[in-house]
Amino acid sequence: MRLEFIPYFMHFLYNDESLPHIIVVGGGFAGLEFVKAIRHKPYRVTLFDTNNYHTFQPMLYQVASGGIGPDGIAYPLRKIISKFPNIAFRMAEVIEVFPIENRIHTSIGDFRYDHLVIASGAQTNFFGNNQLQQHTMQLKSIPDALDLRSNLLQEFEKAITLRGTGKEIPVLNFVVVGGGPTGVETSGALAEIKKNILPADYNELNASLMQVHLVESSSRLLVAMSEKSSEAALRALLQLGVQVRLNTAVTGFDGEKLTLSTGETLNTETVIWAAGVKGKVLKGIAEKAIGHSNRYITNGFLQIEGYSNIYALGDIACMKSDPKFPHGHPMVCTPAIQQGKYLAGNFNKLVKGKAVKPFHYFHPGSMATVGRHKAVMEIFGFRFKGLIAWFGWMFLHLMWLVGFRNRVIVFVNWMWNYLTYQRAIRLITRPYFKKGAAKNI
Ligand SMILES: Cc1cc2nc3c(=O)[nH]c(=O)nc-3n(C[C@H](O)[C@H](O)[C@H](O)COP(=O)(O)OP(=O)(O)OC[C@H]3O[C@@H](n4cnc5c(N)ncnc54)[C@H](O)[C@@H]3O)c2cc1C
């Protein structure tokens, strides 16, 4: 019996125009979890994303530091949804929402919806400082990570040509701003490059000239974790030679000189801004529905304030009804994943005429890795540091990666890096030119 017709039949069945149409903006952690949990249900779903892939952002810093390639942490959205007959994908930017008409305007035209799920995530927050926005580098996407990787390697090449002149010193000064997991992990990775890669590949350079600075405005690193974990992370970074400045804010950077709230200045060409994110809101949703950190204020059912058929999920959602999180849930993967599943579950319950309950967030914990055998992990009420936390971090991230192939690629790269002390992907595949600067190399 020939069974090839079944997917076509299923597709035809699910594309019944009379089914309610749900538009999902964003195939990140929240949007993807939502579409996975609503597959095979009587809804027509269209997923929009500006990229044709899902990005596993927690490991962007490993791409930026040459530990793994971008294909290890990105996964094609079409590949994921190809088995789901009721889900369609459109690679497009959603530009504006017209709530009264139940319509969105996108870069490929206008589309009508019955329900709109906004899971557009977050963007880097420069807190209104245009100078920092223009001159610092950010780490929010795969292109950002590749730019950072190119910049890092180009600066080493440049330092070689300048060696002995003193001009190589600012070129080899790398500043990371923000002591959250991204800042801690990025500065740890840079310090390991200084320790293992510079002496091997750039032996014409005096490796001790490379300096990694981490600047944090609050009194400790990893503020979302316990003080003990903060101290352990600080100790590990100091052991790696990172110069950590706490209680210090960055006040300006003109591309050559970084100024700090302490009055100190640092000559550097590379400042990595990891000091904050804010919601990536869409035009057309009322201003009064936008709250803390530029996120949509939602009720306990994730409906955006003032709208009954528009929902927010993940980083963009600020649910204030959870007393444990008065400013909304943390902007990390776990709320995004849980909210995606929860909202799809509500739609599925509605089909069966079942009542829905408000969202309840379960916080499993936090973790950050600093370098080889150095990490901190707080999970299900237990606290770990050092080797156990490091292996735990690697195991969980490997499990969370989307796609078996990606897990294999990342695992093989990690093994290679571990055994050889190398970072395999040290390629300048597309040179990075600093904004407003002459050619970097
Ligand atoms: C460098 C870095 C490190 C991190 N480390 C950790 C960590 O260790 N642990 C942790 O839990 N969390 C970490 N996070 C945070 C975590 O990645 C986010 O909380 C999570 O990705 C949020 O999921 P989301 O679905 O809300 O948004 P995202 O995953 O950001 O997805 C949003 C999607 O929407 C798309 N999009 C945006 N606007 C539009 C538009 N207008 N039209 C169409 N598509 C659009 C984007 O292309 C993207 O695919 C890190 C984040 C970064 C940047």
Side-chain angles (χ1 to χ4, degrees):
M1 184 179 163
R2 289 171 63 87
L3 297 175
E4 293 94 326
F5 70 91
I6 287 179
Y8 298 102
F9 174 69
M10 297 287 279
H11 189 73
F12 177 73
L13 189 71
Y14 279 113
N15 276 285
D16 178 349
E17 290 285 319
S18 65
L19 289 175
H21 185 209
I22 304 176
I23 285 184
V24 182
V25 185
F29 287 90
L32 198 55
E33 214 54 47
F34 176 86
V35 299
K36 280 189 333 204
I38 205 160
R39 67 189 194 272
H40 302 304
K41 295 290 186 280
Y43 294 100
R44 259 186 324 126
V45 181
T46 311
L47 171 65
F48 283 84
D49 202 299
T50 34
N51 299 318
N52 75 337
Y53 54 84
H54 166 84
T55 307
F56 191 85
Q57 294 174 18
M59 277 160 57
L60 278 173
Y61 85 95
Q62 299 213 0
V63 175
S65 55
I68 49 179
D71 57 335
I73 64 159
Y75 201 84
L77 286 166
R78 281 197 178 276
K79 174 86 186 140
I80 302 168
I81 64 150
S82 60
K83 297 178 216 81
F84 309 157
N86 61 329
I87 321 278
F89 172 70
R90 294 290 176 271
M91 184 177 143
E93 183 189 4
V94 176
I95 297 163
E96 189 164 358
V97 184
F98 297 92
I100 296 171
E101 300 163 41
N102 286 350
R103 175 169 68 88
I104 55 164
H105 174 58
T106 80
S107 52
I108 54 166
D110 286 17
F111 297 81
R112 292 194 175 277
Y113 61 82
D114 296 298
H115 301 276
L116 178 64
V117 176
I118 305 178
S120 49
Q123 57 189 321
T124 307
N125 191 354
F126 295 95
F127 303 98
N129 189 325
N130 292 337
Q131 199 195 31
L132 291 175
Q133 180 160 6
Q134 193 191 347
H135 294 294
T136 63
M137 301 192 74
Q138 50 179 317
L139 188 55
K140 196 72 189 86
S141 64
I142 295 224
D144 290 343
L146 293 176
D147 280 348
L148 211 46
R149 186 179 81 185
S150 294
N151 175 71
L152 183 69
L153 299 169
Q154 285 169 219
E155 294 293 63
F156 294 154
E157 298 297 336
K158 187 173 171 182
I160 285 186
T161 63
L162 294 172
R163 73 188 188 286
T165 64
K167 290 183 183 160
E168 73 273 37
I169 293 170
V171 173
L172 290 171
N173 253 349
F174 296 91
V175 183
V176 181
V177 188
T182 304
V184 165
E185 289 172 348
T186 306
S187 36
L190 291 175
E192 293 215 313
I193 288 176
K194 172 182 176 178
K195 196 171 153 192
N196 301 321
I197 306 298
L198 274 200
D201 280 18
Y202 300 87
N203 52 12
E204 291 168 82
L205 271 181
N206 175 359
S208 69
L209 291 179
M210 178 180 172
Q211 296 297 329
V212 183
H213 305 264
L214 176 60
V215 182
E216 163 59 42
S217 60
S218 70
S219 58
R220 63 186 181 97
L221 302 174
L222 303 174
V223 281
M225 299 183 82
S226 68
E227 291 205 2
K228 286 196 167 159
S229 293
S230 297
E231 280 163 24
L234 176 63
R235 263 198 310 278
L237 283 174
L238 294 175
Q239 271 171 20
L240 281 171
V242 176
Q243 300 191 27
V244 182
R245 287 170 180 79
L246 299 173
N247 298 309
T248 307
V250 166
T251 51
F253 177 54
D254 61 6
E256 289 175 358
K257 188 182 277 185
L258 180 83
T259 51
L260 302 174
S261 57
T262 52
E264 191 188 355
T265 57
L266 281 172
N267 292 329
T268 174
E269 293 192 346
T270 307
V271 176
I272 302 162
W273 187 256
V277 287
K278 61 178 184 179
K280 203 171 175 195
V281 293
L282 302 176
K283 256 166 80 180
I285 301 288
E287 283 285 318
K288 66 177 189 323
I290 300 171
H292 189 69
S293 297
N294 211 39
R295 299 161 87 190
Y296 292 128
I297 301 166
T298 75
N299 63 16
F301 301 93
L302 291 166
Q303 285 161 312
I304 297 181
E305 199 170 85
Y307 303 95
S308 59
N309 65 341
I310 307 183
Y311 308 79
L313 294 180
D315 279 0
I316 192 70
C318 177
M319 184 191 283
K320 288 184 158 179
S321 52
D322 188 337
K324 280 194 205 154
F325 300 95
H327 294 304
H329 297 114
M331 292 165 89
V332 291
C333 299
T334 39
I337 291 170
Q338 290 177 31
Q339 289 174 357
K341 276 189 191 144
Y342 161 84
L343 188 63
N346 281 0
F347 277 108
N348 299 341
K349 280 182 185 160
L350 286 175
V351 174
K352 295 177 188 157
K354 288 188 182 168
V356 293
K357 287 187 186 153
F359 174 72
H360 172 74
Y361 173 55
F362 168 68
H363 186 58
S366 313
M367 60 185 108
T369 176
V370 182
R372 175 179 283 250
H373 300 172
K374 292 180 172 69
V376 286
M377 185 181 202
E378 290 172 2
I379 194 160
F380 304 126
F382 296 97
R383 201 164 50 77
F384 304 95
K385 62 176 182 168
L387 190 66
I388 298 178
W390 190 66
F391 277 119
W393 184 98
M394 287 200 297
F395 175 75
L396 290 173
H397 281 72
L398 213 50
M399 290 301 104
W400 288 331
L401 271 175
V402 179
F404 181 70
R405 177 186 168 275
N406 287 26
R407 287 185 200 129
V408 173
I409 292 176
V410 169
F411 181 72
V412 169
N413 274 289
W414 280 351
M415 282 299 106
W416 179 261
N417 298 345
Y418 186 74
L419 296 173
T420 62
Y421 286 75
Q422 294 294 299
R423 286 179 177 261
I425 331 280
R426 294 193 299 278
L427 308 172
I428 304 172
T429 47
R430 41 169 219 173
Y432 173 70
F433 301 113
K434 289 207 165 84
K435 288 169 214 143
K439 271 192 179 183
N440 217 22
I441 45 175

